[in-house]
Amino acid sequence: MLGLYDLLASGAPADRVLAWARGEAVDGLPRLSREEAEVLLDSWEWNARPGQLWTPGPEFITSYEAGRGWGKDRSATENLCAAACDPERWGGEALIVGVNPSQVKRDCLMGDGKSGLFPAAKRREKTGLGPGIRWQNWNDRMLQFEAPRGGGGGGLVVHWAASSDPKSVHGMSIGLAWFDEFGVMDHNKRDAQGNNTWEAAQPAIRQLPDPKIIITMT
């Protein structure tokens, strides 16, 4: 799928591209229905800037390092929502790790209305671009997406944890993990085995044949 910046890079004038995306008739581009235009304008694949879309490759770790406002959290949450479209690829489970529980909830889960796992999943569910969140348990720090092909169960389960509590990542089997604000995590906080959160999570992540880690930091 070509995105907004692909069309702009091809030399198409910005005003014509944006008019077309709104559903207006533009020479040389297929006319979109109102419904198609609404989906397109809400699609991350359409709106993402160069470098923000993630396609899993042979690498184990992908690191987003950029200044504030670049869209690191938006990119990571959209990656998790895309992963929810294929939960089997990730062994059915993903993990978010932040600095502390408050930061995870504020930045990774709720966000600013655009970034954040909950608003991102809600947008995708509304436009039919991905499953919504079926349930969440704040005490156990986990949520589950709807099954992408229906049927209720079987959707991606997302756990969340924090560097302030290394044991919070114990006992998991994770196919995809997102470590947010990695540079300011409490890497000196250790569990009873002497591991910080990064070290404690590695056995849980490496159990699957092709797991991935996404790191975001300023």
Side-chain angles (χ1 to χ4, degrees), residues 126-152:
K126 181 187 73 174
T127 55
L129 296 174
I133 292 174
R134 184 185 182 202
W135 57 262
Q136 66 276 341
N137 186 317
W138 296 105
N139 291 329
D140 291 338
R141 299 179 185 178
M142 60 189 300
L143 59 86
Q144 185 177 33
F145 281 85
E146 294 281 354
R149 288 168 290 279

PDB file of all heavy atoms in Angstrom, residues 126-152:
ATOM      1  N   LYS A 126     -12.688   0.580  14.634  1.00  0.00           N
ATOM      2  CA  LYS A 126     -13.722   1.404  14.006  1.00  0.00           C
ATOM      3  C   LYS A 126     -13.645   1.337  12.488  1.00  0.00           C
ATOM      4  O   LYS A 126     -14.674   1.285  11.799  1.00  0.00           O
ATOM      5  CB  LYS A 126     -13.575   2.857  14.475  1.00  0.00           C
ATOM      6  CG  LYS A 126     -14.633   3.801  13.902  1.00  0.00           C
ATOM      7  CD  LYS A 126     -14.338   5.229  14.268  1.00  0.00           C
ATOM      8  CE  LYS A 126     -13.164   5.771  13.484  1.00  0.00           C
ATOM      9  NZ  LYS A 126     -12.923   7.217  13.697  1.00  0.00           N
ATOM     10  N   THR A 127     -12.446   1.334  11.936  1.00  0.00           N
ATOM     11  CA  THR A 127     -12.278   1.355  10.491  1.00  0.00           C
ATOM     12  C   THR A 127     -12.134  -0.038   9.882  1.00  0.00           C
ATOM     13  O   THR A 127     -11.981  -0.166   8.663  1.00  0.00           O
ATOM     14  CB  THR A 127     -11.042   2.192  10.117  1.00  0.00           C
ATOM     15  OG1 THR A 127      -9.891   1.686  10.808  1.00  0.00           O
ATOM     16  CG2 THR A 127     -11.238   3.648  10.495  1.00  0.00           C
ATOM     17  N   GLY A 128     -12.150  -1.081  10.732  1.00  0.00           N
ATOM     18  CA  GLY A 128     -12.028  -2.439  10.220  1.00  0.00           C
ATOM     19  C   GLY A 128     -10.618  -2.831   9.843  1.00  0.00           C
ATOM     20  O   GLY A 128     -10.412  -3.817   9.125  1.00  0.00           O
ATOM     21  N   LEU A 129      -9.612  -2.093  10.338  1.00  0.00           N
ATOM     22  CA  LEU A 129      -8.224  -2.364   9.996  1.00  0.00           C
ATOM     23  C   LEU A 129      -7.526  -3.255  11.020  1.00  0.00           C
ATOM     24  O   LEU A 129      -6.327  -3.536  10.886  1.00  0.00           O
ATOM     25  CB  LEU A 129      -7.445  -1.048   9.854  1.00  0.00           C
ATOM     26  CG  LEU A 129      -7.917  -0.139   8.712  1.00  0.00           C
ATOM     27  CD1 LEU A 129      -7.177   1.183   8.754  1.00  0.00           C
ATOM     28  CD2 LEU A 129      -7.708  -0.830   7.362  1.00  0.00           C
ATOM     29  N   GLY A 130      -8.248  -3.696  12.026  1.00  0.00           N
ATOM     30  CA  GLY A 130      -7.644  -4.572  13.028  1.00  0.00           C
ATOM     31  C   GLY A 130      -8.603  -4.827  14.163  1.00  0.00           C
ATOM     32  O   GLY A 130      -9.642  -4.161  14.282  1.00  0.00           O
ATOM     33  N   PRO A 131      -8.287  -5.796  15.019  1.00  0.00           N
ATOM     34  CA  PRO A 131      -9.180  -6.116  16.129  1.00  0.00           C
ATOM     35  C   PRO A 131      -9.099  -5.082  17.241  1.00  0.00           C
ATOM     36  O   PRO A 131      -8.065  -4.434  17.439  1.00  0.00           O
ATOM     37  CB  PRO A 131      -8.655  -7.476  16.608  1.00  0.00           C
ATOM     38  CG  PRO A 131      -7.206  -7.464  16.249  1.00  0.00           C
ATOM     39  CD  PRO A 131      -7.117  -6.694  14.964  1.00  0.00           C
ATOM     40  N   GLY A 132     -10.202  -4.919  17.963  1.00  0.00           N
ATOM     41  CA  GLY A 132     -10.215  -4.070  19.135  1.00  0.00           C
ATOM     42  C   GLY A 132      -9.783  -4.842  20.369  1.00  0.00           C
ATOM     43  O   GLY A 132      -9.503  -6.044  20.309  1.00  0.00           O
ATOM     44  N   ILE A 133      -9.726  -4.152  21.486  1.00  0.00           N
ATOM     45  CA  ILE A 133      -9.355  -4.785  22.749  1.00  0.00           C
ATOM     46  C   ILE A 133     -10.598  -5.397  23.382  1.00  0.00           C
ATOM     47  O   ILE A 133     -11.612  -4.723  23.570  1.00  0.00           O
ATOM     48  CB  ILE A 133      -8.687  -3.770  23.686  1.00  0.00           C
ATOM     49  CG1 ILE A 133      -7.331  -3.365  23.100  1.00  0.00           C
ATOM     50  CG2 ILE A 133      -8.512  -4.348  25.094  1.00  0.00           C
ATOM     51  CD1 ILE A 133      -6.634  -2.248  23.857  1.00  0.00           C
ATOM     52  N   ARG A 134     -10.518  -6.677  23.690  1.00  0.00           N
ATOM     53  CA  ARG A 134     -11.659  -7.423  24.208  1.00  0.00           C
ATOM     54  C   ARG A 134     -11.856  -7.196  25.699  1.00  0.00           C
ATOM     55  O   ARG A 134     -12.967  -6.995  26.174  1.00  0.00           O
ATOM     56  CB  ARG A 134     -11.448  -8.907  23.911  1.00  0.00           C
ATOM     57  CG  ARG A 134     -12.601  -9.805  24.316  1.00  0.00           C
ATOM     58  CD  ARG A 134     -12.243 -11.257  24.087  1.00  0.00           C
ATOM     59  NE  ARG A 134     -13.335 -12.140  24.415  1.00  0.00           N
ATOM     60  CZ  ARG A 134     -13.194 -13.425  24.705  1.00  0.00           C
ATOM     61  NH1 ARG A 134     -11.983 -13.969  24.729  1.00  0.00           N
ATOM     62  NH2 ARG A 134     -14.236 -14.174  24.978  1.00  0.00           N
ATOM     63  N   TRP A 135     -10.782  -7.246  26.462  1.00  0.00           N
ATOM     64  CA  TRP A 135     -10.856  -7.012  27.907  1.00  0.00           C
ATOM     65  C   TRP A 135      -9.485  -6.600  28.430  1.00  0.00           C
ATOM     66  O   TRP A 135      -8.475  -6.791  27.769  1.00  0.00           O
ATOM     67  CB  TRP A 135     -11.349  -8.247  28.664  1.00  0.00           C
ATOM     68  CG  TRP A 135     -10.547  -9.505  28.466  1.00  0.00           C
ATOM     69  CD1 TRP A 135     -10.824 -10.533  27.614  1.00  0.00           C
ATOM     70  CD2 TRP A 135      -9.325  -9.873  29.132  1.00  0.00           C
ATOM     71  NE1 TRP A 135      -9.865 -11.511  27.693  1.00  0.00           N
ATOM     72  CE2 TRP A 135      -8.931 -11.140  28.617  1.00  0.00           C
ATOM     73  CE3 TRP A 135      -8.521  -9.282  30.099  1.00  0.00           C
ATOM     74  CZ2 TRP A 135      -7.781 -11.795  29.049  1.00  0.00           C
ATOM     75  CZ3 TRP A 135      -7.362  -9.930  30.525  1.00  0.00           C
ATOM     76  CH2 TRP A 135      -7.010 -11.177  30.011  1.00  0.00           C
ATOM     77  N   GLN A 136      -9.489  -5.971  29.606  1.00  0.00           N
ATOM     78  CA  GLN A 136      -8.248  -5.627  30.268  1.00  0.00           C
ATOM     79  C   GLN A 136      -8.388  -5.881  31.761  1.00  0.00           C
ATOM     80  O   GLN A 136      -9.482  -5.802  32.311  1.00  0.00           O
ATOM     81  CB  GLN A 136      -7.847  -4.175  30.022  1.00  0.00           C
ATOM     82  CG  GLN A 136      -8.787  -3.145  30.634  1.00  0.00           C
ATOM     83  CD  GLN A 136      -9.979  -2.856  29.759  1.00  0.00           C
ATOM     84  OE1 GLN A 136      -9.968  -3.125  28.565  1.00  0.00           O
ATOM     85  NE2 GLN A 136     -11.024  -2.302  30.363  1.00  0.00           N
ATOM     86  N   ASN A 137      -7.283  -6.221  32.403  1.00  0.00           N
ATOM     87  CA  ASN A 137      -7.243  -6.453  33.845  1.00  0.00           C
ATOM     88  C   ASN A 137      -6.113  -5.591  34.394  1.00  0.00           C
ATOM     89  O   ASN A 137      -4.939  -5.920  34.245  1.00  0.00           O
ATOM     90  CB  ASN A 137      -7.002  -7.937  34.132  1.00  0.00           C
ATOM     91  CG  ASN A 137      -7.090  -8.261  35.612  1.00  0.00           C
ATOM     92  OD1 ASN A 137      -6.573  -7.525  36.456  1.00  0.00           O
ATOM     93  ND2 ASN A 137      -7.734  -9.374  35.936  1.00  0.00           N
ATOM     94  N   TRP A 138      -6.484  -4.471  35.020  1.00  0.00           N
ATOM     95  CA  TRP A 138      -5.480  -3.531  35.495  1.00  0.00           C
ATOM     96  C   TRP A 138      -4.662  -4.115  36.646  1.00  0.00           C
ATOM     97  O   TRP A 138      -3.476  -3.805  36.775  1.00  0.00           O
ATOM     98  CB  TRP A 138      -6.139  -2.226  35.918  1.00  0.00           C
ATOM     99  CG  TRP A 138      -6.801  -1.527  34.778  1.00  0.00           C
ATOM    100  CD1 TRP A 138      -8.135  -1.448  34.528  1.00  0.00           C
ATOM    101  CD2 TRP A 138      -6.160  -0.817  33.698  1.00  0.00           C
ATOM    102  NE1 TRP A 138      -8.376  -0.743  33.375  1.00  0.00           N
ATOM    103  CE2 TRP A 138      -7.184  -0.345  32.844  1.00  0.00           C
ATOM    104  CE3 TRP A 138      -4.837  -0.551  33.385  1.00  0.00           C
ATOM    105  CZ2 TRP A 138      -6.915   0.395  31.701  1.00  0.00           C
ATOM    106  CZ3 TRP A 138      -4.564   0.182  32.241  1.00  0.00           C
ATOM    107  CH2 TRP A 138      -5.587   0.648  31.413  1.00  0.00           C
ATOM    108  N   ASN A 139      -5.273  -4.939  37.482  1.00  0.00           N
ATOM    109  CA  ASN A 139      -4.539  -5.516  38.614  1.00  0.00           C
ATOM    110  C   ASN A 139      -3.463  -6.498  38.144  1.00  0.00           C
ATOM    111  O   ASN A 139      -2.349  -6.507  38.669  1.00  0.00           O
ATOM    112  CB  ASN A 139      -5.495  -6.221  39.571  1.00  0.00           C
ATOM    113  CG  ASN A 139      -6.397  -5.256  40.303  1.00  0.00           C
ATOM    114  OD1 ASN A 139      -6.009  -4.119  40.581  1.00  0.00           O
ATOM    115  ND2 ASN A 139      -7.611  -5.674  40.604  1.00  0.00           N
ATOM    116  N   ASP A 140      -3.804  -7.328  37.165  1.00  0.00           N
ATOM    117  CA  ASP A 140      -2.844  -8.317  36.657  1.00  0.00           C
ATOM    118  C   ASP A 140      -1.989  -7.774  35.517  1.00  0.00           C
ATOM    119  O   ASP A 140      -1.152  -8.495  34.971  1.00  0.00           O
ATOM    120  CB  ASP A 140      -3.584  -9.572  36.188  1.00  0.00           C
ATOM    121  CG  ASP A 140      -4.200 -10.337  37.348  1.00  0.00           C
ATOM    122  OD1 ASP A 140      -3.734 -10.158  38.494  1.00  0.00           O
ATOM    123  OD2 ASP A 140      -5.143 -11.115  37.111  1.00  0.00           O
ATOM    124  N   ARG A 141      -2.240  -6.527  35.142  1.00  0.00           N
ATOM    125  CA  ARG A 141      -1.448  -5.858  34.106  1.00  0.00           C
ATOM    126  C   ARG A 141      -1.444  -6.650  32.801  1.00  0.00           C
ATOM    127  O   ARG A 141      -0.395  -7.011  32.255  1.00  0.00           O
ATOM    128  CB  ARG A 141      -0.014  -5.628  34.581  1.00  0.00           C
ATOM    129  CG  ARG A 141       0.100  -4.750  35.813  1.00  0.00           C
ATOM    130  CD  ARG A 141       1.551  -4.585  36.239  1.00  0.00           C
ATOM    131  NE  ARG A 141       1.646  -3.843  37.481  1.00  0.00           N
ATOM    132  CZ  ARG A 141       2.796  -3.587  38.112  1.00  0.00           C
ATOM    133  NH1 ARG A 141       3.937  -4.025  37.603  1.00  0.00           N
ATOM    134  NH2 ARG A 141       2.815  -2.912  39.239  1.00  0.00           N
ATOM    135  N   MET A 142      -2.634  -6.861  32.269  1.00  0.00           N
ATOM    136  CA  MET A 142      -2.731  -7.562  31.000  1.00  0.00           C
ATOM    137  C   MET A 142      -4.032  -7.209  30.300  1.00  0.00           C
ATOM    138  O   MET A 142      -4.998  -6.756  30.930  1.00  0.00           O
ATOM    139  CB  MET A 142      -2.633  -9.081  31.197  1.00  0.00           C
ATOM    140  CG  MET A 142      -3.715  -9.661  32.080  1.00  0.00           C
ATOM    141  SD  MET A 142      -3.427 -11.398  32.520  1.00  0.00           S
ATOM    142  CE  MET A 142      -3.390 -12.179  30.923  1.00  0.00           C
ATOM    143  N   LEU A 143      -4.044  -7.379  28.988  1.00  0.00           N
ATOM    144  CA  LEU A 143      -5.245  -7.172  28.180  1.00  0.00           C
ATOM    145  C   LEU A 143      -5.232  -8.189  27.057  1.00  0.00           C
ATOM    146  O   LEU A 143      -4.215  -8.819  26.777  1.00  0.00           O
ATOM    147  CB  LEU A 143      -5.300  -5.739  27.629  1.00  0.00           C
ATOM    148  CG  LEU A 143      -4.146  -5.264  26.743  1.00  0.00           C
ATOM    149  CD1 LEU A 143      -4.345  -5.645  25.276  1.00  0.00           C
ATOM    150  CD2 LEU A 143      -3.968  -3.758  26.852  1.00  0.00           C
ATOM    151  N   GLN A 144      -6.376  -8.334  26.421  1.00  0.00           N
ATOM    152  CA  GLN A 144      -6.456  -9.229  25.271  1.00  0.00           C
ATOM    153  C   GLN A 144      -7.238  -8.575  24.151  1.00  0.00           C
ATOM    154  O   GLN A 144      -8.299  -7.984  24.363  1.00  0.00           O
ATOM    155  CB  GLN A 144      -7.118 -10.563  25.629  1.00  0.00           C
ATOM    156  CG  GLN A 144      -7.096 -11.565  24.472  1.00  0.00           C
ATOM    157  CD  GLN A 144      -7.685 -12.918  24.838  1.00  0.00           C
ATOM    158  OE1 GLN A 144      -8.600 -13.006  25.640  1.00  0.00           O
ATOM    159  NE2 GLN A 144      -7.149 -13.975  24.257  1.00  0.00           N
ATOM    160  N   PHE A 145      -6.695  -8.683  22.947  1.00  0.00           N
ATOM    161  CA  PHE A 145      -7.398  -8.234  21.749  1.00  0.00           C
ATOM    162  C   PHE A 145      -8.453  -9.256  21.355  1.00  0.00           C
ATOM    163  O   PHE A 145      -8.366 -10.435  21.712  1.00  0.00           O
ATOM    164  CB  PHE A 145      -6.414  -8.085  20.589  1.00  0.00           C
ATOM    165  CG  PHE A 145      -5.596  -6.827  20.621  1.00  0.00           C
ATOM    166  CD1 PHE A 145      -4.427  -6.752  21.359  1.00  0.00           C
ATOM    167  CD2 PHE A 145      -5.984  -5.718  19.895  1.00  0.00           C
ATOM    168  CE1 PHE A 145      -3.661  -5.597  21.379  1.00  0.00           C
ATOM    169  CE2 PHE A 145      -5.236  -4.552  19.901  1.00  0.00           C
ATOM    170  CZ  PHE A 145      -4.071  -4.488  20.651  1.00  0.00           C
ATOM    171  N   GLU A 146      -9.429  -8.807  20.603  1.00  0.00           N
ATOM    172  CA  GLU A 146     -10.357  -9.728  19.969  1.00  0.00           C
ATOM    173  C   GLU A 146      -9.589 -10.626  19.002  1.00  0.00           C
ATOM    174  O   GLU A 146      -8.569 -10.219  18.446  1.00  0.00           O
ATOM    175  CB  GLU A 146     -11.434  -8.960  19.195  1.00  0.00           C
ATOM    176  CG  GLU A 146     -12.368  -8.136  20.049  1.00  0.00           C
ATOM    177  CD  GLU A 146     -13.442  -8.983  20.717  1.00  0.00           C
ATOM    178  OE1 GLU A 146     -13.509 -10.203  20.411  1.00  0.00           O
ATOM    179  OE2 GLU A 146     -14.201  -8.445  21.542  1.00  0.00           O
ATOM    180  N   ALA A 147     -10.091 -11.821  18.807  1.00  0.00           N
ATOM    181  CA  ALA A 147      -9.487 -12.702  17.805  1.00  0.00           C
ATOM    182  C   ALA A 147      -9.642 -12.045  16.431  1.00  0.00           C
ATOM    183  O   ALA A 147     -10.732 -11.578  16.086  1.00  0.00           O
ATOM    184  CB  ALA A 147     -10.144 -14.067  17.821  1.00  0.00           C
ATOM    185  N   PRO A 148      -8.590 -11.969  15.636  1.00  0.00           N
ATOM    186  CA  PRO A 148      -8.682 -11.247  14.359  1.00  0.00           C
ATOM    187  C   PRO A 148      -9.660 -11.856  13.368  1.00  0.00           C
ATOM    188  O   PRO A 148     -10.169 -11.160  12.497  1.00  0.00           O
ATOM    189  CB  PRO A 148      -7.241 -11.301  13.820  1.00  0.00           C
ATOM    190  CG  PRO A 148      -6.610 -12.461  14.515  1.00  0.00           C
ATOM    191  CD  PRO A 148      -7.250 -12.514  15.876  1.00  0.00           C
ATOM    192  N   ARG A 149      -9.934 -13.139  13.500  1.00  0.00           N
ATOM    193  CA  ARG A 149     -10.878 -13.786  12.580  1.00  0.00           C
ATOM    194  C   ARG A 149     -12.182 -14.163  13.284  1.00  0.00           C
ATOM    195  O   ARG A 149     -12.909 -15.038  12.829  1.00  0.00           O
ATOM    196  CB  ARG A 149     -10.215 -15.023  11.959  1.00  0.00           C
ATOM    197  CG  ARG A 149      -9.144 -14.646  10.938  1.00  0.00           C
ATOM    198  CD  ARG A 149      -8.295 -15.809  10.519  1.00  0.00           C
ATOM    199  NE  ARG A 149      -7.405 -16.265  11.573  1.00  0.00           N
ATOM    200  CZ  ARG A 149      -6.243 -15.683  11.869  1.00  0.00           C
ATOM    201  NH1 ARG A 149      -5.859 -14.606  11.206  1.00  0.00           N
ATOM    202  NH2 ARG A 149      -5.482 -16.151  12.837  1.00  0.00           N
ATOM    203  N   GLY A 150     -12.451 -13.481  14.398  1.00  0.00           N
ATOM    204  CA  GLY A 150     -13.691 -13.724  15.122  1.00  0.00           C
ATOM    205  C   GLY A 150     -13.575 -14.921  16.051  1.00  0.00           C
ATOM    206  O   GLY A 150     -12.558 -15.585  16.143  1.00  0.00           O
ATOM    207  N   GLY A 151     -14.638 -15.169  16.765  1.00  0.00           N
ATOM    208  CA  GLY A 151     -14.671 -16.340  17.628  1.00  0.00           C
ATOM    209  C   GLY A 151     -14.366 -16.058  19.084  1.00  0.00           C
ATOM    210  O   GLY A 151     -14.325 -16.970  19.903  1.00  0.00           O
ATOM    211  N   GLY A 152     -14.120 -14.773  19.429  1.00  0.00           N
ATOM    212  CA  GLY A 152     -13.939 -14.416  20.827  1.00  0.00           C
ATOM    213  C   GLY A 152     -12.529 -14.626  21.320  1.00  0.00           C
ATOM    214  O   GLY A 152     -11.728 -13.712  21.351  1.00  0.00           O
TER     215      GLY A 152
END
